[in-house]
């Protein structure tokens, strides 16, 4: 709004003292202060209200006005109650520095002026922003994306003072202001969003993280479609409504706004819905852009599974490398990640869902999965992930730059535990008790000959993960060389009988005597049978430890000095 409109509003009790040629200045906010120098709290464009408690003379007036002008203030409105008027030296200082100044009638409260300005400015900003959003939507629908989601989020921040971020279903930051949200906050917001969508609650969903309240707006989109093709433009809003929510819940983005939308008027809620639709256009464009990478992964996968000659697979990899890693001098190593999403009842085709989800999971920060930074001019990491799907299984072909081994080379690659830790919280909420995702990660290979082995390794690791309890599980290639590979495939009745025979006598004794034989056994094995180290860990005298171990041997008829009996106890504890 403009100063002229304020002056013409009789209820505000404003009288112009200087700056009549500046009445077309725009007011973008309002602030009440009696500080000598309030500039640190000003962002520009404000109408400053002051009761003049800071004033003691002409020097104070000049310093105060210079501070306001330096901060880009639009005008000053001075109260008259303190001195019966506005000091002449203050009016003169405003004239020297070109700052419009008003006197506020002592019968008018500053709160009245503040409420009027806030109401008018908010309404005008919302209208202006709605027009900009509508224009931007038309441009993005008919042509290239004009800056993506960040442009719209900048508008929200500058015109409505709303900070907002676009997040993926696993809490990955897609767009938004800096500094960004902490990882734990992003994870909590994504989890709340997925849980709300699964239970059918309508957005926006309000959630408090720490001391801050956020409003979460679902971003509509077609989501994965049978056959794995792009979804842009293929699903109407009505079609989306009748689809099972499980087809899209693990791939849809969300808009997290740092505000409580509970008391927002309908106009502002409609505006934010328009913003989500605008961001959805960009989301669909990005999904469509993945078509080439998906096709490359599908071709390499088909050649690998059908036993094609290594030379033919290598030729296809040479085609894929420039697409996924443009400008990279050395040939990359490759790693395979396999994912499967299963829903209770089996009515949802899991492949497309797993494909879209795996693409989101594998997109990380500005470094590649081995921890090496790409050149600043390189592509986004989302452009380096190629994911295909076969049946209910999604398979990712991930390129790793060939780097010297002393820089933590590609042999480190993607770690299953790291993937799992990043997504377990949000995805567990999204699966909501009736779904499951399992991930398997291969070692890195440097040639076409090793790709088939990497695929089988990743699939086998995924089966190991599937044998574990929990809704979200992952296993890596490192585990395939360990005894833990064998444990999940032991039949349940055999596991129960084996552990009961060895451990039940100890558990019963612990319940009756509180002897802590099971913790003692675990510590003894973990210390490789060292009496001294085990006694130190348990804060026991060595003789007390010897007594407990003797009791374990007596109850189980085993000898903990024998390797075979140690191994049996170790496996029993792992399977229990």
């Amino acid at each position: 709004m403009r100063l002229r409109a304020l002056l013409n509003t009789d209820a505000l009790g404003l009288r112009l003292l200087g700056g009549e040629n500046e009445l077309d200045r725009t007011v973008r906010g309002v602030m009440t202060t009696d500080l000598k120098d309030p500039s640190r709290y000003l962002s520009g464009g404000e109408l400053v209200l002051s009761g003049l408690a800071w004033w003691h003379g002409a020097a104070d007036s000049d310093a105060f006005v210079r501070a306001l002008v330096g901060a880009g203030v639009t005008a000053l409105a001075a109260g008259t109650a303190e001195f019966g008027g506005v000091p002449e030296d203050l009016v003169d200082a405003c004239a020297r520095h070109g700052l419009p100044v008003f006197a506020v009638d002592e019968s008018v409260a500053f709160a009245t002026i503040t409420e009027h300005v806030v109401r008018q400015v908010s309404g005008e900003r919302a209208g202006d922003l709605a027009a900009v959003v509508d224009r931007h939507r038309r441009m993005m629908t008919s042509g290239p994306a004009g800056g993506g989601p960040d442009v719209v989020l900048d508008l929200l921040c500058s015109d409505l003072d709303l900070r907002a971020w676009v997040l993926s279903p696993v809490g990955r930051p897609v767009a938004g202001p800096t500094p960004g949200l902490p990882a734990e906050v992003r994870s909590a917001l994504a989890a709340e969003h997925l849980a709300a969508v699964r239970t059918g609650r309508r957005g926006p969903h309000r959630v408090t993280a720490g001391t801050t309240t956020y409003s979460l707006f679902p971003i509509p989109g077609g989501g994965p479609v049978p056959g794995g093709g792009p979804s842009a433009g293929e699903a109407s809003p009505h079609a989306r409504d009748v689809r099972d929510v499980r087809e899209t819940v693990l791939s849809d983005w969300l808009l997290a706004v740092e505000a409580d939308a509970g008391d927002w008027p309908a106009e502002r809620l409609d505006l934010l819905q328009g913003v989500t639709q605008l961001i959805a256009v960009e989301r669909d464009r990005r999904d469509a852009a993945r078509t080439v990478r998906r096709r490359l992964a599908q071709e390499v996968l088909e050649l690998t599974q059908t036993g094609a000659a290594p030379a033919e697979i290598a030729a296809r990899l040479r085609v894929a490398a420039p697409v996924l890693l443009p400008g990279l001098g050395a040939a990359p190593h490759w790693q395979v990640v396999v994912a499967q999403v299963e829903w209770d009842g089996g009515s949802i085709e899991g492949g497309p869902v797993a494909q879209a989800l795996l693409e989101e999971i594998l997109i990380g920060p500005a470094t590649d999965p081995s921890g090496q930074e790409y050149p600043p001019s390189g592509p986004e990491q989302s452009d380096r992930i190629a994911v295909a799907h076969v049946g209910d299984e999604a398979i990712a072909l991930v390129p790793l730059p060939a780097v010297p081994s002393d820089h933590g080379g590609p042999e480190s690659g993607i770690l299953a535990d790291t993937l799992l830790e990043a997504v377990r919280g949000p995805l567990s909420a999204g699966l909501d008790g009736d779904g499951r995702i399992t991930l398997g990660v291969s070692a890195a290979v440097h040639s076409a000959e090793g790709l088939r082995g990497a695929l089988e390794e990743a699939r086998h690791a995924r089966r190991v993960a599937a044998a574990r309890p929990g809704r979200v599980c992952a296993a890596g290639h490192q585990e395939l060389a360990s005894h833990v590979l064998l444990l999940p495939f032991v039949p349940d009745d055999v596991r129960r009988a084996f552990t009961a025979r060895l451990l039940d006598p100890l558990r019963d004794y612990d319940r009756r005597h509180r002897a802590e034989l099971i913790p003692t056994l675990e510590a003894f094995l973990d210390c490789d049978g060292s009496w001294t180290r085990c006694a130190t860990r348990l804060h026991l005298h060595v003789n007390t430890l010897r007594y407990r171990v003797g009791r374990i041997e007596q109850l189980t008829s085993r000898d903990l000095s024998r390797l075979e009996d140690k191994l049996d106890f170790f496996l029993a504890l792992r399977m229990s």
Side-chain angles (χ1 to χ4, degrees), residues 59-83:
D60 293 333
S61 295
D62 192 73
F64 182 75
V65 174
R66 277 192 287 107
L68 298 189
V69 172
V73 163
T74 295
L76 168 66
T80 57
E82 183 76 13
F83 302 106

Side-chain angles (χ1 to χ4, degrees), residues 236-318:
S236 67
H238 175 70
R240 177 180 172 82
D241 289 341
V242 300
R243 294 170 64 183
D244 193 312
V245 69
R246 293 177 294 180
E247 295 181 37
T248 60
V249 67
L250 297 181
S251 59
D252 282 351
W253 288 352
L254 67 138
L255 178 67
V257 182
E258 192 179 72
D260 187 344
D263 56 354
W264 281 6
E267 293 81 4
R268 178 167 285 203
L269 289 173
D270 288 344
L271 174 61
L272 266 294
Q273 294 297 340
V275 169
T276 64
Q277 292 167 6
L278 183 55
I279 295 172
V281 174
E282 175 66 13
R283 169 65 194 271
D284 288 342
R285 289 187 187 279
R286 294 191 186 188
D287 282 347
R290 290 176 174 173
T291 303
V292 173
R293 298 190 297 279
R294 287 176 171 176
R295 186 180 300 120
L296 285 172
Q298 198 77 40
E299 291 174 356
V300 172
L301 177 62
E302 290 173 359
L303 289 173
T304 303
Q305 292 190 127
T306 57
E312 188 176 358
I313 299 176
R316 182 52 55 187
L317 288 176
R318 284 194 295 272

